[in-house]
Amino acid sequence: MADLADREGYIWMDGELTPWRESRVHVLTHGLHYGTSVFEGERAYGGRIFKLTEHTERLRRSAELMSFPLPFDTATLERATQEVVRVNGIQDGYVRPIAWLGSEDIGLSAEGARVHVAIATWSWPAVFGQEAQTRGIRLRTTQWTRMVGTMLPVKAKTAGVYATGVLARRESAQAGFEDVLILDHQGFVAEASGANLFLVERGRLVTPIADTFLDGITRAVVIELARGLGLEVAEERITRARLREADEVFLTGTAYEVQPVREIDDRAYPVGAISRRLVAAYQALVRG
Ligand code: PMP
């Protein structure tokens, strides 16, 4: 895989466009040591960033939940995001804003550390390859679980939470699976490593209650799309046994979009009519 640090282009960093290869941080950066950075994942379609305000506001909330308010307002960050997409010539691509405590103070309370913000973008057509939305992907259940809200703020998209996903994904990749099913601490179905989960049960959509994981922006968009198509949608606790009985399963996320699942452990699912309808409706919406 190509080194993401070695490219042409620009990254917006602390208020200005910096040449891509010079956008660096020091090894004693607080955020690198303690896993407290907050970030976003956005997608541009035809040069336009989908749900830019929702993502920028979630970045702000994440930083506040991690106790370091951002030094830029939402309008400034939105303009910066649009500028970085434009100067890098991105039409369809991924955008990664990130905020972190710097190297000015390595103590845990980091009272002397500055809050830094950067925004990068690159082209990233499909997480699991071009055909994945048609054929579906395979998940394996991991023994690592999502956190309880007393461990970290679950509404924050913060780096520490992602350690679970990294561990789980490295194990599942070795076993030949594309992603993981992550349960909560009580054994209920939570989500995948970077996307929320829905199941179809006798024509009705059910998705887990988002109290141990990120309540995705795409999750909300898909709930609205589904209701607009006349489908019933409910948020409920889902056991593994119930998931096994589901007619269809799919994932939702900014990067994943609507991603059908064709297997979890040894249980196969069809890429069914409702999943296919929502894949198409989501594509029509983001490109509309
Ligand atoms: N859960 C996790 C762990 C994620 O990383 C993401 C991607 N941001 C999601 C869910 C889906 O969130 P969204 O739809 O806002 O991209």
Side-chain angles (χ1 to χ4, degrees), residues 58 146 157 162 191 193-196 214 216-218 252-254:
R58 188 170 67 187
R146 277 295 172 227
K157 190 169 164 68
Y162 283 80
E191 57 165 358
S193 63
N196 295 124
L214 197 71
I217 291 166
T218 320
T252 64
T254 300

Side-chain angles (χ1 to χ4, degrees), residues 3 5 21 34 42 47 52 85 90 93 133 142 160 163-164 179 223-224 242 247 258 265 272 278 285:
D3 182 355
R21 294 184 181 85
Y34 307 124
E42 304 165 1
L52 175 59
V85 164
I90 296 292
Q133 286 183 358
T142 172
T164 308
D179 203 347
I223 290 175
E224 213 180 291
R242 184 171 174 191
D247 302 316
V258 177
D265 304 321
L278 288 167
L285 177 69

Side-chain angles (χ1 to χ4, degrees), residues 21-288:
R21 294 184 181 85
E22 292 167 28
S23 305
R24 296 187 173 276
V25 293
H26 193 268
V27 289
L28 294 181
T29 295
H30 190 285
L32 176 66
H33 292 249
Y34 307 124
T36 50
S37 68
V38 297
F39 61 97
E40 270 306 316
E42 304 165 1
R43 262 195 193 279
Y45 296 94
R48 228 188 87 249
I49 302 139
F50 184 63
K51 300 283 176 192
L52 175 59
T53 302
E54 285 82 347
H55 283 284
T56 310
E57 278 176 353
R58 188 170 67 187
L59 184 74
R60 165 170 316 291
R61 274 200 314 280
S62 295
E64 284 165 4
L65 286 166
M66 293 307 289
S67 82
F68 55 92
L70 298 183
F72 300 96
D73 62 25
T74 299
T76 304
L77 292 173
E78 285 187 23
R79 274 197 307 276
T81 312
Q82 285 156 341
E83 190 184 9
V84 101
V85 164
R86 187 179 51 76
V87 296
N88 287 293
I90 296 292
Q91 284 295 308
D92 292 350
Y94 186 71
V95 185
R96 169 56 59 85
I98 179 161
W100 69 96
L101 294 167
S103 54
E104 301 84 2
D105 186 345
I106 196 79
L108 282 193
S109 66
E111 281 148 317
R114 276 182 56 205
V115 179
H116 299 268
V117 186
I119 308 170
T121 182
W122 60 92
S123 125
W124 189 18
V127 178
F128 300 106
Q130 287 305 339
E131 301 305 312
Q133 286 183 358
T134 327
R135 68 170 163 76
I137 60 167
R138 299 173 62 235
L139 313 187
R140 189 171 87 141
T141 307
T142 172
Q143 83 276 17
W144 302 106
T145 65
R146 277 295 172 227
M147 299 197 188
V148 201
T150 50
M151 297 178 179
L152 274 178
V154 294
K155 301 287 170 217
K157 190 169 164 68
T158 184
V161 170
Y162 283 80
T164 308
V166 171
L167 265 175
R169 279 289 288 269
R170 287 175 73 85
E171 289 172 0
S172 81
Q174 280 201 337
F177 291 80
E178 285 148 307
D179 203 347
V180 287
L181 168 68
I182 306 180
L183 308 174
D184 70 15
H185 64 289
Q186 293 180 297
F188 291 109
V189 171
E191 57 165 358
S193 63
N196 295 124
L197 182 143
F198 286 77
L199 54 86
V200 179
E201 227 172 35
R202 294 174 295 279
R204 174 175 177 263
L205 290 185
V206 189
T207 192
I209 298 163
D211 56 2
T212 60
F213 55 86
L214 197 71
D215 180 0
I217 291 166
T218 320
R219 177 179 182 274
V221 168
V222 167
I223 290 175
E224 213 180 291
L225 272 178
R227 288 185 176 143
L229 293 172
L231 296 165
E232 192 190 323
V233 188
E235 295 173 71
E236 294 171 6
R237 298 271 177 234
I238 299 167
T239 61
R240 290 180 76 181
R242 184 171 174 191
L243 182 62
R244 279 186 79 84
E245 294 301 311
D247 302 316
E248 302 175 30
V249 178
F250 62 86
L251 307 175
T252 64
T254 300
Y256 291 53
E257 302 175 315
V258 177
Q259 173 59 62
V261 170
R262 80 178 142 97
E263 199 178 308
I264 303 178
D265 304 321
D266 56 351
R267 163 75 161 104
Y269 300 90
V271 177
I274 291 181
S275 301
R276 291 199 307 270
R277 259 175 99 189
L278 288 167
V279 167
Y282 189 78
Q283 288 302 325
L285 177 69
V286 294
R287 292 173 195 285

